[in-house]
Amino acid sequence: MPRMADLGRRLDRVDALAISLGAVIGVGVFRNTGLVLSGTGGVGGATLLWLAVGAVCLMGTTLYADLSSRIPEVGGGYVYVRVAFGGPASFLYGWTYFGVANTLRQAIVYAAIGERLSAWIPGDPRVLGSIVLLILAGLTGAGLRTGAITQRILTSGRLATILLVVVLALILGATGSAPATGDLPVQPFVTALSAAWFTMLGWQEVVILAGELHQPRRDLPVVLVTTVALTLTLYLAIHLTTYFALGGGPLAYGAWPAVDIAGFVLGSFGAGLLSLLLLSSMIGVAADG
């Protein structure tokens, strides 16, 4: 017979991994590979930067894994700050994170969703974004289990989108890369660093679910390390394949190189399909928040 304290623990390791990957993997990698390239001077510097940021995040997972095993409570970073520095510091951290940082992030995501939807559905982008917010809130309100299943589906869709882009890039590279003509854009290194760092963030948010996991002491360290390692591998695959598929030219440094690749391989249908998949990725990020 389960202990009373375990009756509320309804998430397993797969659920936690789906939520953690969902917090990290969004449209950022498709949007920011060009910024990283232009801010580092080319594919060599960009690859080293992705690896360096990934290594820093992996070091962070060791810290969070240790903290999550020592303090497997609901609240994540808020609880760690409370235990280490006391109530006032944790109060300030909690309001700063949930009242400012996370809220701003979600506002940006829903604004982007509204803008993408307005290209297909008539209406004010703000209204369309708000409708998506209400739908996702309804799914979450239907129960933790329903929300977890939804997150599994959305995260699977994002992983499938990355694999699709990699396959299309390999096809384009094998059949003849896109013409590499024109001047390459240049960005400050700080822009590249910020883009890579922002794209990797989110892995630490899974510790908030410590109170919902069946075995948080065992599962959280595995989920944290797996999330960062898998995310870095996928991001490097996107970065390298899109660069070589587009011949290292200006399109590889552009805003949406993956959409360009889909357009070259599959025509306007492919570009439209990938745009739709990117929209679903944004919705997945919003659902995780």
Side-chain angles (χ1 to χ4, degrees):
M1 188 172 182
R3 296 175 299 172
M4 291 298 293
D6 293 335
L7 292 177
R9 299 182 181 275
R10 291 163 286 179
L11 300 181
D12 58 27
R13 185 182 294 182
V14 176
D15 293 321
L17 183 59
I19 292 170
S20 185
L21 287 171
V24 183
I25 299 175
V27 297
V29 64
F30 299 106
R31 177 65 182 85
N32 291 338
T33 53
L35 290 176
V36 176
L37 281 169
S38 60
T40 54
V43 65
T47 303
L48 289 175
L49 180 58
W50 282 114
L51 288 171
V53 171
V56 172
C57 290
L58 280 173
M59 288 188 287
T61 63
T62 62
L63 173 61
Y64 267 71
D66 180 62
L67 289 172
S68 65
S69 64
R70 292 171 182 266
I71 316 171
E73 300 179 24
V74 177
Y78 168 83
V79 177
Y80 306 155
V81 173
R82 187 195 67 202
V83 172
F85 302 107
S90 63
F91 177 83
L92 180 61
Y93 169 87
W95 275 106
T96 301
Y97 178 77
F98 293 104
V100 180
N102 193 54
T103 301
L104 179 61
R105 177 190 176 196
Q106 290 301 306
I108 293 172
V109 172
Y110 282 110
I113 290 172
E115 290 178 4
R116 298 298 298 180
L117 281 176
S118 64
W120 295 301
I121 303 174
D124 190 316
R126 292 171 296 182
V127 174
L128 296 174
S130 299
I131 292 173
V132 174
L133 169 62
L134 293 174
I135 293 173
L136 293 178
L139 289 173
T140 302
L144 181 64
R145 189 70 238 163
T146 300
I149 292 173
T150 301
Q151 192 55 250
R152 282 195 187 193
I153 295 172
L154 292 172
T155 299
S156 298
R158 269 176 278 177
L159 295 176
T161 300
I162 289 178
L163 294 177
L164 174 62
V165 172
V166 170
V167 170
L168 292 177
L170 292 174
I171 292 173
L172 181 58
T175 57
S177 298
T181 58
D183 296 329
L184 299 179
V186 178
Q187 298 284 349
F189 176 76
V190 67
T191 300
L193 178 60
S194 299
W197 180 252
F198 180 81
T199 307
M200 286 292 299
L201 286 181
W203 52 266
Q204 71 279 9
E205 294 184 6
V206 71
V207 296
I208 297 174
L209 300 174
E212 305 292 348
L213 288 170
H214 294 309
Q215 300 185 55
R217 292 182 186 273
R218 182 197 68 181
D219 292 341
L220 280 176
V222 175
V223 169
L224 286 165
V225 174
T226 302
T227 295
V228 174
L230 182 57
T231 298
L232 178 60
T233 301
L234 293 173
Y235 284 5
L236 284 173
I238 286 287
H239 156 62
L240 292 172
T241 55
T242 55
Y243 177 85
F244 289 110
L246 294 171
L251 289 178
Y253 291 69
W256 300 102
V259 176
D260 294 324
I261 289 172
F264 279 118
V265 178
L266 300 175
S268 58
F269 167 78
L273 173 63
L274 194 59
S275 295
L276 184 61
L277 291 174
L278 293 180
L279 174 62
S280 71
S281 293
M282 284 188 279
I283 293 175
V285 172
D288 181 76

